[in-house]
Amino acid sequence: MNVANSEPTASATADTKSIRHYLSANLRQYGLLLALIAVMVFFQIVTDGTLLRAINVTNLLLQNSYIIIMALGMLIVIVAGHIDLSVGSVMGFVGALAAVLIVNYDINIYLAAAICLATGAAIGAAQGYWVAYWRIPSFIVTLAGMLVFRGLSLWLLEGQSVGPFPREFQIIATGFLPDIFPAGIGTSLAAFFDVRQINTLAVASGVVAAALIVWMGVRTRALNQSYGMNEEPQSIFVARTFIVAAALVFVTYKLAQFRGLPNVLLTMGVLTVIYAFLTQSTVIGRRIYALGGNVKAAKLSGIKTERLTFLAFMNMGFLAAAAGLVFAARLNTATPKAGFALELDVIAAVFIGGASMSGGVGTIIGAVVGAFLMGVLNNGMSIMGIGIDFQQMIKGLVLLAAVIFDVYNKNKQG
Amino acid sequence: MSPLLEMRDITKTFPGVKALDHVNLEVSKGEIHAVVGENGAGKSTLMKVLSGVYPHGQYEGEIIYDGQPARFRDIRDSEDHGIIIIHQELALVPQLSIAENIFLGNERAKHGIINWHETNRRTEDLLAKVGLAEAPTTKVDGIGVGKQQLVEIAKALSKDVKLLILDEPTAALQENDSRKLLDLMLELKTQGVTSIIISHKLGEVRYVADTVTVIRDGSTVSKLNAKTGFSEDDIVRDMVGRDMTHRFPQHKRSPGKMMLEVENWNVWHPEHTERQVIKNAAFNVRAGEVVGIAGLMGSGRTELAMSIFGQSYGRRISGSVKLDGTAIDVSTVDRAIAAGISYVTEDRKSLGLVLDETIQFNTTLANLEAVSSGSILKKNEETKVAEKYREALAIRTPSVFQKTVNLSGGNQQKVVLAKWLFTEPEVLILDEPTRGIDVGAKYEIYTIINELADQGKAVVMISSEMPELLGMCDRIYVMNEGVLVGELSAAEASQERIMSLIVNE
């Protein structure tokens, strides 16, 4: 009888042990997610629920959109073993260019947007050229770029703010996707949940996205298992998938109560999915990780490391330009100070997201979560009425803590 | 004469390897003592024990220095006792002046403020002693390697040296610079400085040494005395004579058609552009043949291989490479790979693997096209490939998703091999394929090489271990100072013949 009793207990202990082992081995990944949740819960409580009110959730997304867009490019640059300090200035410059083209010269907004994006890519290419083919440290090249493009924005705007933009341009950043479902559904849903209004499209896309994540998670897990790679214990997999899916539904439900899905969210979502795919599932993505992980080995494996570095910077310029358009449209004006010191937020987001300064390590999802973590901190502290002085200090310490945590983990493993 | 230094029964083990096995070394006061042996015989390890790099407690045996048992805690400690070692790679800071380098860490200063007057004056004295006519304020990167060597010796003299150890001091020097350095050693001897010289160049050893200790496979083999007389042949015999049975898989090979032909190959140094690293090299390999390239480290073997592999080394590269009778373009690495050449590096950690990535990642890295369609990776396909090579090469790991940094040296080497086998090359250049791996893993690597030859691949094997070349190769080229100085068939090759080709230029 004793034997019969002890068996399940033993296997249960073994199970908890392996879960704990797995969690501690992958602490960074889960730690980030848990930190985001903890920070949100904390601010939700201390702000008496203001943080997760529908209008504030919408705001949170809009406020951080341009940081996230740039973090995607910065992640690639950092994985490749470089850094780009110029993105804030480039973003400001492109916003200024858009304002001058659209407001002063009355150029069609789509043409202007295309010119701006091309300019961003060209700026990135110009900087990447020196880094990749002349081996000038990216820190220097982009520090120079930071000054040059800050100056160019001032010159272009003649020190003045230029605006406002036409309505169609503002929509880029401040517009919302129209609810394509009949209004009746929304009204009855609103009645059912006992809220003022519901945007059916937002809720529906949230549910679909959550379902997609669950489906893809299950599929990948099954595939991994068939190759003997089922490292993640089932309970953790279920918990993680549930949390992510629930969070998605929750956020879209909140958005639905305000004005629905912001256009920017769509842009951000699509870009995030594209870049996550690019980095994880394509030849070029794989080569960038190899380049950052060991440039000599990559070179001797026939990888054209210079061209990849060049492309990483060009891509960064393009995304900085996209962020510049969003930022200008959101402010509805271009100012010479736009984007000032923003590169630091972007870089911080990528490092908080787990990227390594020495290259070769980091994920798109990590960078996005890192950006949100910073965003929630900013937003929560602002609601609490904490001064900009303390905000800066706290953000700085969070960045330091995240990187110390990384290094500590690495030392413990090695 | 009384001994200045006695090292008795020194044994030093690294995980899995016994680097030194009861080595004895006795150096008399005022003599020049040469320590000779093949690469990896344990000479450098012995010197590291002596100079405190491996402090007391990390080795067995005892050191008697100047009549006292010595237990050095670190290099600083041994230097305080007057033991100064000058390494192969010079430890000078190129951006600093000669005077600054000589007194680095030993500054002529009061309360942290440097007395430049005294520093420069004393430097002048020291430079006069070593016969170097340069101003103390000259930057070290502005003078040649030979003169830098002299600066190192001046630095040693500034510390009241009693025992000067020179680790292959002439390896990077031209003929007349070498001679100057050796003469300086003799000069210092008359001033009472005892020296140990580690060298491969037996001519030099005969020129300066009073006593020679030969080390082989981590043990002292013999001690020869200049007074009683010895010949270079004696040294060569003692350096290489060892048992070779059963260390290599028995195998018959039948080489086929001519696969790789390299002719008129010339390469210049990438930085010192006036230095020619490879001079008019020509060699060939047949399908199904294993051809060795023997030579000492720094003789240009790796440079030859890397310059052929997509010009990964050197400048002003000229010459022709033919594969299967047709000239091929090897001007970039991807072209060389596409043409069918693979190069397995001697330095797997810094040139071969992305250590923080998985076995799978590394296996497919040089041929991602084969596991992708439309440049989108087919990860299942990748895993299959990685599994296939894991099985074929018997890579011991729980899964192909293991990071390569966690593997043993032998398994890492197999992953690098897997990466290159997956590019399906015609010619495989293996640079020191068994360096730093244990005997069992070596045997497995040899078996894999035999299998590759059986599949009709042309294999070039670069190695510093002569028994390995003799045990594996059908033909052996011998390289010395950038020149292929000889070619020996398996039948005529022996360690003595190879060594004499190397040392008798």
Side-chain angles (χ1 to χ4, degrees):
Chain A
M1 194 190 126
N2 259 342
V3 177
N5 261 350
S6 69
E7 253 190 348
T9 332
S11 83
T13 348
D15 216 38
T16 13
K17 217 179 194 173
S18 82
I19 289 175
R20 195 177 304 153
H21 175 79
Y22 181 78
L23 272 183
S24 73
N26 295 275
L27 204 55
R28 189 59 170 87
Q29 206 184 334
Y30 298 104
L32 188 62
L33 197 61
L34 291 178
L36 180 62
I37 293 171
V39 166
M40 287 179 83
V41 168
F42 173 77
F43 282 115
Q44 176 70 359
I45 294 168
V46 297
T47 60
D48 291 328
T50 312
L51 184 81
L52 291 181
R53 270 167 55 189
I55 181 164
N56 195 50
V57 171
T58 308
N59 249 331
L60 235 166
L61 289 176
L62 295 180
Q63 272 171 6
N64 291 296
S65 52
Y66 42 89
I67 299 214
I68 286 171
I69 290 172
M70 288 196 284
L72 302 174
M74 189 65 79
L75 182 274
I76 291 178
V77 168
I78 286 175
V79 164
H82 294 282
I83 193 105
D84 191 338
L85 299 175
S86 71
V87 293
S89 293
V90 173
M91 191 194 98
F93 172 68
V94 169
L97 183 65
V100 169
L101 290 176
I102 295 169
V103 179
N104 294 0
Y105 291 91
D106 245 355
I107 290 175
N108 172 294
I109 61 161
Y110 297 104
L111 178 63
I115 293 173
C116 285
L117 292 175
T119 306
I123 290 171
Q127 300 192 94
Y129 171 77
W130 298 112
V131 177
Y133 297 102
W134 284 69
R135 290 173 211 289
I136 297 172
S138 54
F139 190 96
I140 306 291
V141 172
T142 59
L143 182 63
M146 179 170 126
L147 296 169
V148 168
F149 296 108
R150 173 71 46 218
L152 269 176
S153 324
L154 267 169
W155 171 78
L156 200 60
L157 295 172
E158 293 165 338
Q160 308 290 310
S161 293
V162 175
F165 287 102
R167 175 101 191 86
E168 311 90 82
F169 186 76
Q170 288 175 46
I171 283 174
I172 296 178
T174 54
F176 292 84
L177 293 174
D179 196 348
I180 46 168
F181 291 94
I185 304 178
T187 334
S188 48
L189 274 175
F192 180 76
F193 286 109
D194 196 21
V195 289
R196 203 145 37 82
Q197 54 175 331
I198 284 277
N199 179 308
T200 319
L201 175 71
V203 174
S205 47
V207 170
V208 170
L212 261 174
I213 280 181
V214 172
W215 180 71
M216 276 170 46
V218 170
R219 210 179 73 122
T220 318
R221 191 176 160 76
L223 255 174
N224 287 349
Q225 232 149 14
S226 72
Y227 286 102
M229 193 201 166
N230 53 345
E231 272 196 329
E232 194 177 37
Q234 181 142 11
S235 46
I236 293 180
F237 168 74
V238 171
R240 180 178 58 97
T241 314
F242 176 77
I243 289 172
V244 173
L248 258 175
V249 173
F250 178 77
V251 166
T252 47
Y253 171 67
K254 284 290 180 184
L255 292 175
Q257 291 176 46
F258 186 56
R259 290 172 61 188
L261 295 180
N263 289 339
V264 167
L265 179 67
L266 183 72
T267 318
M268 229 158 61
V270 169
L271 283 175
T272 303
V273 170
I274 289 176
Y275 279 95
F277 182 78
L278 182 88
T279 51
Q280 296 307 313
S281 301
T282 66
V283 170
I284 196 166
R286 174 63 59 84
R287 286 179 173 164
I288 288 170
Y289 279 90
L291 152 71
N294 185 345
V295 61
K296 289 179 195 158
K299 248 192 156 113
L300 278 178
S301 298
I303 294 171
K304 295 196 175 76
T305 50
E306 286 93 0
R307 185 188 294 175
L308 275 182
T309 306
F310 175 77
L311 287 176
F313 275 93
M314 189 165 140
N315 175 64
M316 181 73 253
F318 173 80
L319 287 175
L325 294 177
V326 171
F327 190 82
R330 180 171 149 73
L331 255 61
N332 197 15
T333 171
T335 73
K337 284 210 83 119
F340 184 74
L342 214 64
E343 57 277 347
L344 302 179
D345 280 357
V346 175
I347 292 167
V350 172
F351 285 132
I352 289 174
S356 154
M357 186 81 207
S358 53
V361 179
T363 60
I364 287 288
I365 301 299
V368 170
V369 175
F372 268 119
L373 186 67
M374 288 290 266
V376 172
L377 276 173
N378 274 333
N379 184 278
M381 289 192 289
S382 298
I383 297 172
M384 280 174 72
I386 293 176
I388 191 81
D389 41 5
F390 279 97
Q391 289 199 22
Q392 300 267 10
M393 288 187 246
I394 290 170
K395 276 158 61 184
L397 291 175
V398 166
L399 171 64
L400 183 65
V403 177
I404 289 173
F405 190 69
D406 272 353
V407 173
Y408 171 75
N409 256 337
K410 198 160 182 188
N411 289 345
K412 206 175 59 178
Q413 280 173 19
Chain B
M1 221 180 272
S2 64
L4 175 70
L5 170 78
E6 271 184 275
M7 297 179 82
R8 290 187 195 146
D9 284 331
I10 303 292
T11 298
K12 167 80 190 161
T13 37
F14 293 109
V17 191
K18 211 171 213 179
L20 296 176
D21 191 3
H22 296 281
V23 172
N24 291 294
L25 180 69
E26 191 184 312
V27 182
S28 302
K29 238 176 213 146
E31 72 163 347
I32 296 179
H33 193 113
V35 176
V36 299
E38 284 188 287
N39 294 332
K43 298 162 298 188
S44 295
T45 313
L46 186 66
M47 291 307 122
K48 283 179 179 165
V49 168
L50 174 58
S51 59
V53 174
Y54 302 126
H56 180 76
Q58 286 190 16
Y59 59 89
E60 292 156 40
E62 56 177 343
I63 301 174
I64 314 283
Y65 175 69
D66 221 357
Q68 305 276 336
R71 300 175 164 187
F72 300 126
R73 291 185 305 272
D74 49 30
I75 300 183
R76 188 106 204 176
D77 195 10
S78 67
E79 282 191 356
D80 288 346
H81 286 80
I83 299 178
I84 296 188
I85 183 162
I86 297 176
H87 291 279
Q88 274 164 322
E89 305 87 26
L90 297 177
L92 299 174
V93 183
Q95 291 85 355
L96 296 184
S97 73
I98 292 176
E100 283 167 321
N101 267 292
I102 286 180
F103 290 102
L104 191 62
N106 184 25
E107 288 82 1
R108 304 290 92 196
K110 210 175 224 175
H111 311 303
I113 296 162
I114 292 179
N115 182 343
W116 286 112
H117 187 72
E118 194 197 334
T119 304
N120 288 333
R121 192 180 49 74
R122 288 207 46 190
T123 303
E124 275 172 8
D125 293 348
L126 290 166
L127 292 183
K129 249 185 187 172
V130 298
L132 180 58
E134 291 283 348
T137 48
T138 309
K139 296 242 184 308
V140 162
D141 61 1
I143 61 179
V145 193
K147 288 180 176 175
Q148 290 182 8
Q149 195 77 256
L150 295 177
V151 172
E152 281 268 20
I153 293 174
K155 185 175 178 180
L157 294 178
S158 78
K159 293 178 193 163
D160 289 327
V161 62
K162 283 187 196 147
L163 178 59
L164 181 65
I165 304 167
L166 296 156
D167 191 356
E168 304 214 24
T170 61
L173 298 189
Q174 308 285 350
E175 186 68 38
N176 52 350
D177 281 345
S178 298
R179 181 49 71 98
K180 259 189 221 154
L181 184 77
L182 298 172
D183 285 338
L184 176 61
M185 285 185 75
L186 293 170
E187 165 74 26
L188 291 174
K189 187 170 98 169
T190 64
Q191 294 171 19
V193 176
T194 312
S195 312
I196 295 177
I197 178 172
I198 294 176
S199 180
H200 286 294
K201 299 186 180 170
L202 301 185
E204 287 175 2
V205 170
R206 274 185 59 77
Y207 183 66
V208 295
D210 300 302
T211 316
V212 179
T213 296
V214 182
I215 294 182
R216 186 210 308 152
D217 292 342
S219 309
T220 325
V221 186
S222 59
K223 190 175 167 188
L224 307 163
N225 198 312
K227 286 202 192 92
T228 53
F230 59 81
S231 70
E232 287 179 23
D233 284 348
D234 293 338
I235 304 180
V236 169
R237 186 200 62 230
D238 288 340
M239 273 167 77
V240 296
R242 78 186 114 175
D243 184 32
M244 274 183 53
T245 44
H246 304 306
R247 284 185 42 199
F248 303 95
Q250 290 302 311
H251 204 72
K252 270 258 175 295
R253 281 200 213 97
S254 41
K257 62 180 176 184
M258 190 58 79
M259 214 55 222
L260 179 74
E261 288 168 277
V262 176
E263 266 157 23
N264 273 326
W265 201 253
N266 287 293
V267 180
W268 271 265
H269 195 279
E271 280 122 41
H272 310 289
T273 41
E274 77 291 348
R275 219 171 100 197
Q276 190 170 359
V277 184
I278 304 292
K279 296 161 197 156
N280 257 323
F283 68 98
N284 56 56
V285 194
R286 294 177 177 278
E289 190 183 30
V290 179
V291 167
I293 299 182
L296 302 171
M297 283 181 208
S299 60
R301 302 166 310 175
T302 297
E303 290 76 6
L304 172 67
M306 286 184 75
S307 59
I308 291 169
F309 188 62
Q311 308 200 349
S312 304
Y313 173 89
R315 277 188 182 206
R316 289 167 64 197
I317 296 165
S318 65
S320 76
V321 180
K322 277 194 220 164
L323 194 77
D324 202 2
T326 40
I328 54 167
D329 178 6
V330 291
S331 56
T332 66
V333 174
D334 55 317
R335 282 179 199 157
I337 294 173
I341 297 180
S342 282
Y343 168 71
V344 180
T345 168
E346 62 173 338
D347 189 350
R348 58 182 166 266
K349 283 195 172 146
S350 70
L351 301 180
L353 293 170
V354 184
L355 285 170
D356 268 338
E357 293 290 352
T358 62
I359 295 172
Q360 171 176 321
F361 183 106
N362 280 288
T363 303
T364 55
L365 189 60
N367 193 11
L368 287 170
E369 289 78 13
V371 287
S372 59
S373 63
S375 96
I376 291 167
L377 294 169
K378 294 184 282 187
K379 293 195 177 167
N380 305 341
E381 202 63 35
E382 252 195 298
T383 310
K384 274 183 204 154
V385 168
E387 285 290 349
K388 184 181 120 193
Y389 283 102
R390 170 167 88 132
E391 216 161 287
L393 304 184
I395 300 170
R396 273 176 278 283
T397 165
S399 93
V400 293
F401 304 105
Q402 188 81 23
K403 285 185 181 176
T404 47
V405 68
N406 297 327
L407 300 176
S408 70
N411 282 315
Q412 285 181 345
Q413 187 66 23
K414 288 179 187 173
V415 175
V416 182
L417 260 175
K419 170 168 95 173
W420 291 111
L421 294 183
F422 184 50
T423 64
E424 297 182 347
E426 301 295 332
V427 177
L428 219 81
I429 306 174
L430 308 173
D431 197 350
E432 301 278 7
T434 66
R435 172 181 290 171
I437 66 181
D438 60 68
V439 181
K442 279 186 183 180
Y443 195 88
E444 288 182 63
I445 300 280
Y446 298 143
T447 311
I448 293 167
I449 293 172
N450 279 332
E451 281 167 15
L452 294 172
D454 286 348
Q455 290 163 24
K457 311 256 186 242
V459 180
V460 179
M461 187 167 164
I462 296 170
S463 178
S464 301
E465 292 185 34
M466 281 188 281
E468 173 173 285
L469 292 175
L470 293 169
M472 291 298 299
C473 298
D474 301 301
R475 267 187 304 140
I476 298 172
Y477 290 93
V478 181
M479 187 152 216
N480 191 29
E481 300 195 348
V483 180
L484 288 172
V485 289
E487 181 189 346
L488 302 166
S489 69
E492 54 185 347
S494 68
Q495 302 200 39
E496 286 78 8
R497 287 200 62 173
I498 294 175
M499 194 45 104
S500 63
L501 274 172
I502 292 175
V503 291
N504 303 329
E505 322 136 36

